[in-house]
C-alpha cells in the first residue's frame, strides 16, 4: 500500500485539458497526462482495501492497487508490467474507458475516487516514451494457424495473445486500415491514431499478419463501412486455418423510420465520423460539412457525443442533442448503487464545448424542402414505470440542416454470421457462452466469437477482455491446455 494516510491527506488530481476555445480548432488530443508528482499523489490515495472492488469493477480485472502502489513508489517499470499482465492496450483504455473501476473505488463512497484511469494512462505513456514496450515474440512456434475476422480491440487482443504463445495468426479486415472502431469511428481528438500504428508495429514483430481490404463472407448492410476490394469465403478460412475467431463488431446502426428519413442531411453518425477520421489521417475531405449548419444529434451515448465534438470542430452554427430516455439524476444514490455503474447525468468533454441537450424527446418527422432537410418535428414524452407516453400538445419544430442518428447499433452484419452458419441469439448477436467448457465457441466447429459481435454494442475494455479470454479458449482447443490468463 502506498501511503496509509494518503487518502486523508490528498485530493484527487485530474489530468489537464486544453481550453475549449483552442481545442475545437483542431482534431488533436487535448487531455494531458498526469505529471509524475501528481501521479505519485494519486497513487498514495489508494487505500489498498482488503477487497479491491475496483479490480472486479474493471472488465479486464486490472490489478489496480498494485500499480497504484508501484507508481507511488516511483517504480514505473513495475507498474507497466502489472498493467500489461491484464490489459493489452492500456493506451486505449487509459484514454477512452468510462472507468467503471472508479465507480467501484471504496474511497469513492466518502470522497472523490482514486483517479485510476489517469494513472493507467500516465503509466503507459511513460512506458512508451521510455521504450519499455517491446515486442514479445513466442520462444517457439506451434505450427497451428488462427484466422481472426475483424481488427478492432477484440480481434487485436486475441491476435496478440495467440501470437505470443506461438500460433501463426492472420487478421482479416474489410476496411483499408487496422483498428475497427478505434480507427474509424472514435474521433482523433479522443484517441490519436498513431497509438494504433504503434501497437500494430509491435504485433507485427510478434508475428501477426494483417490482410486489410478483405471481406470475409459477402455483402454488408446499408450504413456499414466497407472498403473491401477482395473477399474470402468462410469455407476457405475453415480449410486453411485450425481455428477462426469472429471479431467483426456490431455494426448495424439503429435507424429511425419516420417520414422524411430519406431527406438529404439525415445521416447515420458513422457516415459523418468515419470520413472525418479519414480526413484527419490525410484522406479526402469529409463530404458532410457541418460548418455554419444547425445540427441535431439524436441519441445521447458516446457516438452522439462524438458527433457533437466533431460538429463543433467543423464550426457548426448550433448543436442540439436529443435523448429519448428521461434526464438522469445529477448525482447518483451512492448507498444504493456502489460499487456498480450508477445511473447519473454524464457530461462529456464534447458537451462542454457547446451543445444544447434535451431529454424525453421522440422525433416524429423530418421536414424538407426540395429534398433537403429543413427542420425536425418532435414531441415530449412522459415516462411512467419505464414506459413512455407522448404529452398531448407538446409537439415542437426545430429548424436544422443536419441530423445525425446516434441511437446505437442493433446487431452484427448478419451476412458474416450466416455465411459461417453461426447461430444467433435473440438479439441477433453470435451465440457463444463465456463460461464453462467451450466458452466463446459458436455452434460451428472451431469457430469462436468475441467482442461486440458476441455481446452486442459495448466498450473497448470489454472487447479486450473478450479477445483475451477467447484466445485462451482457442489455445486450449489447439494445444489441449493453455497457460494464457483467463
Ligand atoms: C462513435 C463511437 C464511439 C465510441 N466511443 C467509445 C468510448 O469512448 N469508449 C469505449 O470504451 N467504447 C466506445 N465505443 C464502443 C467501442 O468502440 C466498441 O465497443 C469496440 O470497438 C468493439 O470492439 P470489437 O473489436 O468487438 O469491434 P469493432 O471495433 O467494431 O471492430 C470490428 C472490425 O471487424 C471488421 N469486420 C466486420 N465484419 C467483417 C468481415 N465480414 N470481414 C472482414 N472484416 C470485418 C470491421 O470492419 C471492424 O474493423 C464507441 C463506439 C462508437 C461507434
Ligand atoms: S480499463 Fe477501464 S475499468 Fe479497467 S482500470 Fe482502466 S479505466 Fe478502469
Amino acid at each position: 500500500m502506498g501511503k496509509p494516510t494518503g487518502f486523508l491527506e490528498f485530493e484527487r488530481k485530474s489530468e489537464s485539458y486544453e481550453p475549449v476555445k483552442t481545442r475545437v480548432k483542431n482534431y488533436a488530443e487535448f487531455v494531458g497526462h498526469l505529471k509524475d508528482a501528481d501521479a505519485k499523489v494519486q497513487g498514495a490515495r489508494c487505500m489498498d482495501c482488503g477487497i479491491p472492488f475496483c479490480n472486479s469493477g474493471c472488465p479486464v480485472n486490472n490489478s489496480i492497487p498494485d500499480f497504484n502502489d508501484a507508481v507511488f513508489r516511483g517504480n514505473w517499470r513495475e507498474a507497466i508490467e502489472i498493467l500489461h499482465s491484464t490489459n493489452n492496450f492500456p493506451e486505449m483504455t487509459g484514454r477512452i474507458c468510462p472507468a467503471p473501476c472508479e465507480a467501484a473505488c471504496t474511497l469513492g463512497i466518502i470522497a472523490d475516487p482514486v483517479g485510476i484511469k489517469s494513472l493507467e494512462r500516465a503509466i503507459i505513456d511513460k512506458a512508451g516514451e521510455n521504450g519499455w514496450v517491446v515486442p514479445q515474440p513466442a520462444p517457439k512456434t506451434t505450427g497451428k494457424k488462427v484466422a481472426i475476422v475483424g481488427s478492432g480491440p477484440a480481434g487485436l487482443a486475441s491476435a496478440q495473445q495467440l501470437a505470443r504463445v506461438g500460433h501463426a495468426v492472420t487478421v482479416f479486415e474489410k476496411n483499408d486500415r487496422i483498428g475497427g472502431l478505434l480507427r474509424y469511428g472514435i474521433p482523433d481528438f479522443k484517441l490519436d491514431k498513431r497509438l494504433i500504428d504503434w501497437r500494430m508495429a509491435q504485433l507485427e514483430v510478434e508475428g501477426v499478419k494483417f490482410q486489410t481490404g478483405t471481406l470475409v463472407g459477402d455483402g454488408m448492410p446499408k450504413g456499414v463501412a466497407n472498403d473491401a476490394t477482395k473477399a474470402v469465403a468462410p469455407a476457405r478460412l475453415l480449410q486453411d486455418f485450425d481455428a477462426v475467431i469472429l471479431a467483426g463488431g456490431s455494426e448495424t446502426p439503429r435507424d429511425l423510420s419516420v417520414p422524411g428519413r430519406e431527406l438529404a442531411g439525415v445521416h447515420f453518425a458513422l457516415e459523418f465520423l468515419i470520413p472525418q477520421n479519414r480526413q484527419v489521417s490525410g484522406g479526402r475531405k469529409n463530404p458532410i460539412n457541418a460548418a455554419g449548419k444547425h445540427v441535431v444529434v439524436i441519441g445521447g451515448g458516446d457516438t452522439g457525443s462524438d458527433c457533437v465534438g466533431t460538429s463543433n470542430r467543423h464550426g457548426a452554427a448550433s448543436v442540439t442533442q436529443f435523448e429519448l430516455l428521461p434526464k438522469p439524476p445529477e448525482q447518483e444514490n451512492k448507498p444504493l448503487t456502489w460499487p456498480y455503474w450508477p445511473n447519473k447525468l454524464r457530461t462529456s468533454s464534447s458537451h462542454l464545448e457547446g451543445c444544447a441537450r434535451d431529454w424525453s424527446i421522440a422525433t416524429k418527422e423530418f421536414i424538407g424542402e426540395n429534398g433537403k432537410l429543413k427542420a425536425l418535428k418532435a414531441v415530449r414524452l412522459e415516462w411512467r414505470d419505464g414506459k413512455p407516453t407522448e404529452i398531448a400538445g407538446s409537439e415542437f419544430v426545430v429548424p436544422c440542416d443536419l441530423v445525425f442518428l446516434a441511437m446505437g447499433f442493433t446487431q452484427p452484419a448478419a451476412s458474416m454470421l450466416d455465411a459461417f452458419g453461426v447461430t444467433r441469439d435473440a438479439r441477433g448477436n453470435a451465440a457463444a457462452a463465456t463460461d464453462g467448457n467451450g466458452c466463446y465457441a459458436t455452434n460451428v466447429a472451431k469457430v469462436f466469437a468475441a467482442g461486440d459481435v458476441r455481446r452486442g454494442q459495448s466498450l473497448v475494455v470489454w472487447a479486450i477482455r473478450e479477445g483475451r479470454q477467447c484466445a485462451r479458449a482457442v489455445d486450449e482447443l489447439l494445444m489441449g491446455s493453455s497457460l494464457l490468463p483467463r
Side-chain angles (χ1 to χ4, degrees):
M1 174 177 184
K3 188 169 191 207
T5 52
F7 72 99
L8 295 170
E9 291 174 44
F10 307 121
E11 301 282 321
R12 179 179 161 116
K13 294 260 183 189
S14 295
E15 293 162 315
S16 58
Y17 282 60
E18 285 275 330
V20 169
K21 69 174 189 306
T22 51
R23 74 188 194 222
V24 294
K25 297 208 169 98
N26 60 62
Y27 295 86
E29 282 187 359
F30 53 83
V31 184
H33 61 212
L34 289 181
K35 295 193 181 71
D36 286 8
D38 290 340
K40 187 179 166 75
V41 166
Q42 199 56 233
R45 295 183 72 232
C46 178
M47 302 190 293
D48 194 13
C49 29
I51 299 172
F53 290 92
C54 55
N55 166 266
S56 35
C58 168
V60 289
N61 303 122
N62 275 341
S63 298
I64 295 162
D66 294 339
F67 67 61
N68 287 344
D69 180 62
V71 169
F72 170 69
R73 295 178 192 288
N75 296 337
W76 290 89
R77 283 198 85 142
E78 183 192 341
I80 188 61
E81 272 166 35
I82 295 167
L83 187 49
H84 267 150
S85 70
T86 51
N87 186 353
N88 298 66
F89 312 127
E91 67 282 10
M92 317 290 177
T93 47
R95 284 170 167 78
I96 57 172
C97 185
C101 55
E102 293 185 16
C105 173
T106 310
L107 182 55
I109 300 172
I110 51 141
D112 286 332
V114 175
I116 300 166
K117 177 178 163 185
S118 64
L119 280 174
E120 181 170 315
R121 173 162 176 209
I123 295 167
I124 181 63
D125 283 3
K126 186 177 275 295
E129 284 156 16
N130 286 287
W132 298 336
V133 182
V134 290
Q136 299 172 32
K140 58 179 187 186
T141 53
T142 61
K144 305 282 185 192
K145 291 161 71 183
V146 182
I148 297 176
V149 185
S151 67
L156 293 180
S158 52
Q160 184 161 58
Q161 295 296 93
L162 288 165
R164 284 179 172 180
V165 289
H167 304 307
V169 178
T170 307
V171 176
F172 295 86
E173 170 55 58
K174 65 178 160 58
N175 288 337
D176 60 351
R177 302 188 70 183
I178 294 298
L181 287 168
L182 298 170
R183 172 83 63 185
Y184 291 139
I186 296 175
D188 296 64
F189 57 81
K190 271 169 62 179
L191 182 72
D192 189 327
K193 307 308 169 193
R194 284 174 299 188
L195 292 164
I196 309 172
D197 301 332
W198 177 68
R199 247 331 148 179
M200 254 183 67
Q202 184 194 32
L203 266 73
E204 274 172 334
V205 178
E206 289 170 352
V208 177
K209 303 261 181 296
F210 294 104
Q211 283 201 23
T212 52
T214 308
L215 178 74
V216 175
D218 51 8
M220 280 287 139
K222 185 175 165 343
V224 173
N226 183 10
D227 302 331
T229 51
K230 48 186 186 281
V232 177
R236 184 70 196 269
L237 288 193
L238 291 170
Q239 186 188 310
D240 293 352
F241 291 87
D242 298 295
V244 177
I245 297 178
L246 304 180
S250 172
E251 295 191 285
T252 314
R254 183 172 283 111
D255 209 344
L256 188 59
S257 305
V258 297
R261 168 66 183 88
E262 73 295 345
L263 290 169
V266 182
H267 302 276
F268 287 121
L270 288 187
E271 290 172 349
F272 179 49
L273 297 177
I274 293 177
Q276 193 58 41
N277 293 132
R278 292 187 198 276
Q279 180 185 324
V280 174
S281 58
R284 73 185 184 95
K285 205 169 160 36
N286 191 342
I288 304 174
N289 186 355
K293 307 253 173 79
H294 295 282
V295 176
V296 174
V297 178
I298 301 180
D302 275 336
T303 307
S305 166
D306 293 347
C307 289
V308 170
T310 306
S311 299
N312 278 323
R313 278 163 182 71
H314 276 216
S318 71
V319 185
T320 306
Q321 188 176 27
F322 290 142
E323 168 59 53
L324 187 75
L325 294 170
K327 186 176 181 183
E330 304 267 345
Q331 282 301 325
E332 73 269 43
N333 183 344
K334 267 196 194 146
L336 198 67
T337 58
W338 183 88
Y340 300 109
W341 185 243
N343 176 33
K344 70 170 182 181
L345 181 65
R346 292 174 203 281
T347 300
S348 72
S349 55
S350 290
H351 292 133
L352 296 173
E353 291 162 2
C355 172
R357 299 160 81 188
D358 209 344
W359 290 262
S360 299
I361 305 287
T363 304
K364 301 289 286 180
E365 183 184 348
F366 299 117
I367 302 164
E369 210 177 275
N370 302 324
K372 272 177 72 177
L373 178 72
K374 285 283 158 215
L376 168 157
K377 187 194 277 185
V379 64
R380 293 194 179 276
L381 303 173
E382 185 177 59
W383 286 86
R384 266 214 206 115
D385 302 327
K387 292 208 176 73
T389 25
E390 293 182 6
I391 301 174
S394 70
E395 288 85 1
F396 60 99
V397 171
V398 184
C400 55
D401 314 292
L402 276 175
V403 161
F404 297 123
L405 304 176
M407 301 171 304
F409 298 81
T410 54
Q411 57 183 42
S415 52
M416 177 178 72
L417 299 182
D418 291 348
F420 276 93
V422 165
T423 306
R424 288 185 265 149
D425 66 16
R427 294 186 301 152
N429 302 320
T434 55
D435 48 14
N437 281 340
C439 62
Y440 293 94
T442 68
N443 60 308
V444 181
K446 67 184 198 176
V447 176
F448 293 73
D452 282 7
V453 76
R454 194 204 65 79
R455 61 183 295 115
Q457 185 202 18
S458 184
L459 294 173
V460 169
V461 64
W462 277 105
I464 297 172
R465 171 198 170 107
E466 294 218 346
R468 289 171 65 85
Q469 293 190 335
C470 181
R472 182 188 157 96
V474 169
D475 191 35
E476 274 176 344
L477 172 84
L478 299 180
M479 308 305 290
S481 64
S482 178
L483 291 176
L484 286 172
R486 264 175 221 284

